Amino acid sequence: MSSQDAILSFVHDTQFDDLPSDVVKMAERCCLDLLGVAVAGRQTELSQIITEHAVSLFGAGKETATIPFTGQIASPAGSALAMGMTIDAFDAHDGHRLTKGHAGAAVLPALLAFVYSLSDAQGTISGKEFITTLVIGYETSLRAGIALHATAYDYHTSGAWNAIGAAAMGARLLKLNSEQTRHALGIAEYHGPRSQMMRCIDHPTMLKDGSGWGAMAGVSAAYLAKSSFTGAPAITLEDEDVIPCWDDLYARWEILAQYFKPYPVCRWAQPAIQAVSDLMEQQSLNHQEIIEIEIRTFHEGVCLGGHAPKTTEEAQYAIAFPVAALIVRGTLGANEISSHSLCDPLILALSQKVILNERDEYNAKFPGERWADVAITLNNGEVLKTPATCPIGDPENPLTDDHMLRKFHNLCQGATHKATIEGIVKSVGGLTSDPNAMAELLDLLKLRISQNGCLRKDNGNV
């Protein structure tokens, strides 16, 4: 079987029983985590703007789909755009080291858009089919991302490759034939937003990581291919140079390499944050006694900078301010990156004492590993040093089930009723065992959650 045929078979022929149990559990983890991040993201101005934009400019026509947590509907492409950007608005979602980005922020919104759109005509799919399709979306996205990074000279946002995973799910659910599926994948690759990631690091705005537009492009690609629009081949799937990225389907699962974030900021900042957090567990730190904080990490982490962010987007793509906030507040959650915390004089004063330096050893390990160490100089001359630290949440050091559940509850706290929160947890946990769980989850996601117009207050880490 050729590599192309193997990919097409993977998209259309994979069954739930083909999935190892750890892959199923990872998919359930990703689903619940992303839904929690979406609830938190709904508190941002970004989400409010993009949702209004989706409803007014990508509104419902012949095909309709609910925009989760808004109580509104749009076209499937509009729904995927709005939810994808909403998840991206709150930087606490899962990611993958080798892709240097995020699959789930596009894959789950696209999948829900397809499911809502098709449920009226075909009925709700089973929970097992939902999980199977989600895994296909992740696996296709992540392998396409690795292939694109290996063959392109520029560093592009996640939307450039997670659009392909979105299209793959659409091809499966819309029951496209093999030729239509090739075109759907090619359209998604071509129209995926190959935008400049480091520009968004240097100048953080609401553009974020391109996943909302990747979701929209992937959903549109599947529907276009169904209407005989052509666009094959997808180079990241069919070029001879990328065959190694695809020749071990079923034998190895990239979704198992997903990481989860304990803090709502860029993953590149989290090795340093973790180092400081570990130090704070060992001894108390009084921010008034600190005269300098030196962070040594890899180049991309240093590029975050962020000593005095003016917006929540700048705070999420920062390293100095979050570290200072953690020391001053004793925690780093939604409250610490919200607008009313960005002018905290104590955090800003400490942030100005942060010095960022690269370390060649850490540069050599990136992106497969992300490391940092921190040296804090006190006014009595004592220097507190941390060892080389990588963040928790990686596959080698995963967040526990209890931590993941606490994170979900913290993300949802204050935005919706406890019964809704518990219902989502129960439904996601029952997708592969309870025949009613899928319909119950879709109903819960149709509910409109409360918004405060800004990130809500939070008493603990996400």
Side-chain angles (χ1 to χ4, degrees):
M1 182 183 295
S2 69
S3 176
Q4 176 186 316
D5 290 339
I7 294 169
L8 294 176
S9 177
F10 179 74
V11 170
H12 287 288
D13 300 333
T14 300
Q15 301 299 312
F16 178 79
D17 289 342
D18 297 322
L19 307 181
S21 59
D22 54 350
V23 169
V24 173
K25 181 175 180 179
M26 179 62 79
E28 293 170 345
R29 272 193 156 207
C30 291
C31 182
L32 186 65
D33 191 62
L34 288 165
L35 292 175
V37 175
V39 172
R42 280 295 295 157
Q43 308 306 312
T44 65
E45 184 182 10
L46 186 165
S47 177
Q48 295 172 44
I49 292 172
I50 201 68
T51 298
E52 293 175 3
H53 178 83
V55 171
S56 61
L57 294 180
F58 295 88
K62 181 180 178 181
E63 306 286 347
T64 66
T66 297
I67 304 175
F69 300 123
T70 71
Q72 300 186 76
I73 61 171
S75 66
S79 172
L81 168 66
M83 191 185 185
M85 289 296 293
T86 293
I87 292 172
D88 230 357
F90 192 73
D91 208 344
H93 49 305
D94 60 29
H96 186 275
R97 290 174 297 189
L98 294 184
T99 64
K100 296 185 281 187
H102 311 275
V107 168
L108 182 63
L111 176 55
L112 287 170
F114 285 124
V115 171
Y116 275 121
S117 177
L118 294 172
S119 61
D120 289 339
Q122 301 179 12
T124 302
I125 67 172
S126 71
K128 288 185 176 181
E129 174 63 13
F130 183 88
I131 289 295
T132 303
T133 306
L134 184 65
V135 170
I136 290 168
Y138 264 96
E139 204 67 21
T140 307
S141 292
L142 294 173
R143 289 170 182 264
I146 293 170
L148 190 54
H149 279 295
T151 54
Y153 73 89
D154 57 325
Y155 178 14
H156 32 266
T157 58
S158 299
W161 45 267
N162 58 29
I164 299 171
M169 296 186 302
R172 178 183 177 93
L173 295 176
L174 294 174
K175 299 181 175 11
L176 304 188
N177 62 36
S178 295
E179 190 63 20
Q180 289 172 321
T181 300
R182 284 190 67 231
H183 288 304
L185 298 172
I187 296 166
E189 180 190 72
Y190 195 85
H191 285 157
R194 196 155 161 176
S195 33
Q196 314 97 316
M197 187 67 237
M198 291 310 296
R199 179 197 142 183
C200 197
I201 298 297
D202 295 335
H203 308 284
T205 62
M206 292 182 184
L207 292 174
K208 305 295 282 189
D209 192 30
S211 291
W213 297 94
M216 180 185 70
V219 170
S220 295
Y223 280 104
L224 283 168
K226 184 180 180 181
S227 299
S228 300
F229 198 93
T230 59
I235 303 301
T236 50
L237 282 73
E238 298 189 22
D239 191 79
E240 188 173 323
D241 291 340
V242 302
I243 289 177
C245 296
W246 300 96
D247 62 3
D248 58 355
L249 288 167
Y250 298 109
R252 180 177 57 84
W253 298 88
E254 284 295 342
I255 191 174
L256 295 178
Q258 288 287 109
Y259 64 74
F260 296 92
K261 294 182 181 181
Y263 305 102
V265 296
C266 180
R267 189 62 169 175
W268 298 348
Q270 297 202 19
I273 294 169
Q274 188 65 51
V276 172
S277 177
D278 292 344
L279 182 62
M280 292 172 67
E281 287 186 3
Q282 300 166 16
Q283 62 182 83
S284 61
L285 283 180
N286 186 336
H287 64 90
Q288 295 176 324
E289 298 176 351
I290 297 174
I291 62 174
E292 182 182 278
I293 302 172
E294 181 188 11
I295 297 173
R296 297 193 302 172
T297 190
F298 51 96
H299 171 76
E300 287 79 1
V302 170
C303 288
L304 291 173
H307 291 79
K310 299 294 190 297
T311 66
T312 183
E313 286 77 26
E314 291 182 5
Q316 292 176 57
Y317 283 129
I319 186 169
F321 186 88
V323 166
L326 175 62
I327 295 173
V328 171
R329 298 276 182 87
T331 188
L332 181 59
N335 190 39
E336 283 63 51
I337 59 168
S338 63
S339 57
H340 56 80
S341 291
L342 304 184
C343 56
D344 185 318
L346 298 180
I347 298 177
L348 288 171
L350 187 59
S351 180
Q352 296 304 315
K353 298 177 181 179
V354 174
I355 298 172
L356 301 171
N357 290 312
E358 291 183 34
R359 188 169 178 179
D360 291 341
E361 177 185 354
Y362 300 156
N363 284 336
K365 293 181 177 180
F366 180 83
E369 301 176 27
R370 290 94 184 271
W371 292 86
D373 63 78
V374 179
I376 299 177
T377 303
L378 306 180
N379 54 21
N380 65 1
E382 183 180 7
V383 180
L384 307 175
K385 295 184 177 181
T386 74
T389 303
C390 59
I392 62 172
D394 284 340
E396 303 82 6
N397 187 21
L399 299 183
T400 65
D401 290 343
D402 285 345
H403 194 154
M404 293 290 293
L405 191 58
R406 288 198 307 272
K407 175 184 175 181
F408 178 78
H409 281 275
N410 285 337
L411 289 167
C412 297
Q413 184 180 5
T416 188
H417 298 294
K418 183 178 180 180
T420 301
I421 298 173
E422 294 294 346
I424 293 173
V425 172
K426 178 177 178 292
S427 296
V428 172
L431 285 173
T432 62
S433 58
D434 182 351
N436 298 316
M438 188 72 248
E440 291 172 356
L441 178 61
L442 294 178
D443 285 342
L444 289 167
L445 300 187
K446 289 180 180 180
L447 299 176
R448 182 184 182 92
I449 64 171
S450 62
Q451 292 175 272
N452 299 318
C454 63
L455 289 174
R456 75 187 189 290
K457 294 184 177 180
D458 193 346
N459 295 321
N461 299 340
V462 300

